[in-house]
């Protein structure tokens, strides 16, 4: 049985929506644009091309129907029981046919634009398409970045691990002295995960480079660093300012030799692991926020476009 299927083609594990089904919708959109351009070139109406000619009405109707049909993608993405094609196919159609609207609408207007509701519809359409292009870039690039950052992990597991690292750090700090315990308690309180919209989009990274440079400078002056017992690569560029004092305190504990060096070194390792884990969690939050924020722009613009399109059509029938 295995020999019978050896020559059969193996389906791709993952296929981008941009090349879905042999780029079918790219070909359809290209053909649509070519037909519109040929019709525009052949048509020679009195007074020149404009939206009031037979070709203008035809292209306007095609453009309006495309806008309404493509808007349906939002509902289709939530209708998993639908039999009207795959989400990937709809998304491919959304991208390529959406881009074809630029050509169709420009030819529909005969390159005539002004300060009116008709041009407002065109501007809103360009904004919708522009935000859609950003969405294409995001959905083509960010899933791979999220997978790479997760490395077979997930946010819930990381948060549980972060809590465990905090508890381990506090237990080790108790074996040193009250000052060490207080420093660790303060550092736990200062850990920032997520936050407001700005923090989610860009991450809590204020003064990162300055903090990193200061840590390297201070560590270079400790005897343990000179002896090679504190490795500078443990202090990553993603270090947060609030972690600086904690790490420097622990470096001083190790370098001073006044306490249990083994526990102090373990605590320093835990702090580094906790810092790296919190950075990974914040990066996961940031990537998801950046991948989804465009929808909060794209969707309202789409509804604004539909409203302007209705006003455009109504005004055409009233004033023609």
């Amino acid at each position: 049985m295995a020999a019978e299927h050896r020559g059969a083609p193996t389906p791709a594990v993952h296929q981008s929506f941009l090349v879905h089904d042999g780029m079918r919708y790219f070909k359809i959109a290209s053909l649509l644009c070519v037909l519109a351009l040929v019709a525009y070139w052949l048509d020679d109406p009195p007074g020149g091309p404009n939206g009031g000619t037979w070709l203008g009405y035809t292209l306007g109707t095609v453009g309006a129907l495309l806008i309404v049909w493509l808007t349906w993608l939002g509902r289709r993405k939530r209708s998993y029981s639908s039999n009207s094609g795959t989400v990937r196919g709809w998304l491919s159609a959304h991208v390529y046919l959406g881009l074809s609207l630029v050509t169709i609408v420009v030819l529909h207007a005969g390159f005539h634009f002004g300060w009116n509701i008709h041009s407002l519809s065109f501007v809103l359409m360009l904004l919708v398409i522009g935000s859609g292009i950003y969405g294409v870039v995001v959905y083509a690039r960010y899933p791979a970045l999220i997978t790479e950052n997760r490395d077979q992990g997930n946010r819930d597991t990381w948060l549980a691990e972060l809590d465990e690292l905090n508890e381990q750090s506090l237990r080790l700090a108790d074996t040193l002295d009250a000052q060490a315990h207080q420093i660790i308690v303060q550092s736990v309180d200062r850990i920032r995960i997520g936050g407001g919209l700005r923090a989610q989009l860009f991450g809590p990274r204020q003064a990162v480079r300055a903090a990193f440079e200061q840590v390297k400078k201070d560590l270079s002056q400790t005897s343990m660093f000179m002896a090679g017992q504190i490795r500078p690569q443990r202090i990553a560029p993603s270090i947060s300012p609030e972690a600086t004092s904690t790490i420097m305190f622990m470096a001083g504990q190790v370098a001073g030799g006044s306490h249990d060096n083994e526990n102090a070194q373990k605590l320093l390792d835990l702090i580094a692991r906790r810092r790296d884990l919190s950075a990974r969690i914040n990066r996961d939050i940031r990537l998801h926020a950046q991948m989804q924020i465009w929808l909060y722009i794209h969707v309202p613009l789409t509804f604004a476009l539909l409203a302007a399109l209705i006003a455009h059509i109504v005004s055409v029938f009233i004033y023609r």
Side-chain angles (χ1 to χ4, degrees):
M1 293 294 292
E4 294 178 6
H5 296 283
R6 190 171 299 165
T10 302
V13 176
H14 172 73
Q15 183 186 58
S16 169
F17 59 85
L18 294 176
V19 295
H20 171 74
D21 198 14
M23 301 183 72
R24 175 201 296 179
Y25 292 105
F26 170 77
K27 296 172 184 176
I28 293 175
S30 298
L31 178 61
L32 193 59
C33 290
V34 169
L35 290 176
L37 286 167
V38 170
Y40 184 84
W41 181 67
L42 293 176
D43 187 42
D44 186 22
N50 61 81
T53 66
W54 74 268
L55 181 61
Y57 281 121
T58 300
L59 293 178
T61 301
V62 171
L65 290 176
L66 273 177
I67 290 173
V68 173
W69 184 69
L70 293 175
T71 303
W72 202 251
L73 174 66
R75 183 181 184 280
R76 171 62 187 91
K77 288 173 64 177
R78 294 165 177 79
S79 301
Y80 296 104
S81 60
S82 172
N83 295 320
S84 57
T86 64
V87 173
R88 185 181 299 147
W90 274 70
L91 187 54
S92 181
H94 194 76
V95 170
Y96 291 119
L97 293 176
L99 288 173
S100 72
L101 279 170
V102 177
T103 300
I104 292 171
V105 173
V106 167
L107 297 182
H108 154 69
F111 293 89
H112 295 297
F113 300 99
W115 296 98
N116 49 48
I117 188 64
H118 315 300
S119 296
L120 175 61
S121 302
F122 178 70
V123 170
L124 286 172
M125 186 195 73
L126 292 181
L127 291 175
V128 171
I129 291 174
S131 62
I133 291 173
Y134 173 77
V136 169
V137 174
V138 163
Y139 275 92
R141 179 170 180 262
Y142 275 54
L145 294 177
I146 291 173
T147 301
E148 179 183 359
N149 181 64
R150 289 196 165 185
D151 192 23
Q152 299 182 345
N154 62 73
R155 198 183 303 171
D156 291 338
T157 302
W158 294 337
L159 290 171
E161 183 180 352
L162 185 61
D163 288 339
E164 178 61 27
L165 289 175
N166 287 333
E167 293 180 6
Q168 292 179 24
S169 299
L170 288 170
R171 286 197 296 267
L172 272 176
D174 287 338
T175 67
L176 299 176
D177 58 23
Q179 186 184 8
H181 178 85
Q182 186 62 29
I183 288 289
I184 298 303
V185 168
Q186 292 175 357
S187 71
V188 170
D189 291 339
R190 287 195 295 261
I191 292 177
R192 294 291 178 264
I193 300 297
L197 180 60
R198 184 181 183 281
Q200 289 185 38
L201 288 173
F202 304 107
R205 305 189 306 168
Q206 297 87 346
V208 171
R209 186 175 298 276
F212 173 52
E213 294 301 326
Q214 184 62 43
V215 169
K216 291 197 299 182
K217 179 181 177 182
D218 293 342
L219 277 180
S220 67
Q221 299 173 0
T222 66
S223 58
M224 296 299 284
F225 174 83
M226 299 300 293
Q229 297 182 41
I230 298 178
R231 295 185 292 277
Q233 59 265 34
R234 286 180 177 170
I235 313 300
S238 60
I239 184 173
S240 59
E242 57 268 16
T244 304
S245 60
T246 306
I247 293 177
M248 288 314 305
F249 172 79
M250 291 313 307
Q253 293 286 307
V254 176
S258 58
H259 298 281
D260 187 338
N261 277 6
E262 182 179 355
N263 282 350
Q265 185 67 63
K266 286 181 180 178
L267 186 51
L268 187 60
D269 291 340
L270 284 176
I271 293 169
R273 285 169 55 192
R274 190 183 64 182
R275 178 204 62 224
D276 293 340
L277 185 58
S278 62
R280 175 171 288 193
I281 295 172
N282 278 318
R283 177 171 168 79
D284 185 67
I285 293 173
R286 183 169 69 252
L287 289 173
H288 276 90
Q290 291 176 352
M291 190 170 73
Q292 296 177 7
I293 188 63
W294 75 277
L295 284 173
Y296 293 96
I297 300 173
H298 187 72
V299 173
L301 282 175
T302 299
F303 282 107
L305 170 60
L306 289 174
L309 179 63
I310 292 172
H312 163 65
I313 295 172
V314 170
S315 67
V316 167
F317 280 100
I318 292 176
Y319 297 108
R320 68 173 180 173

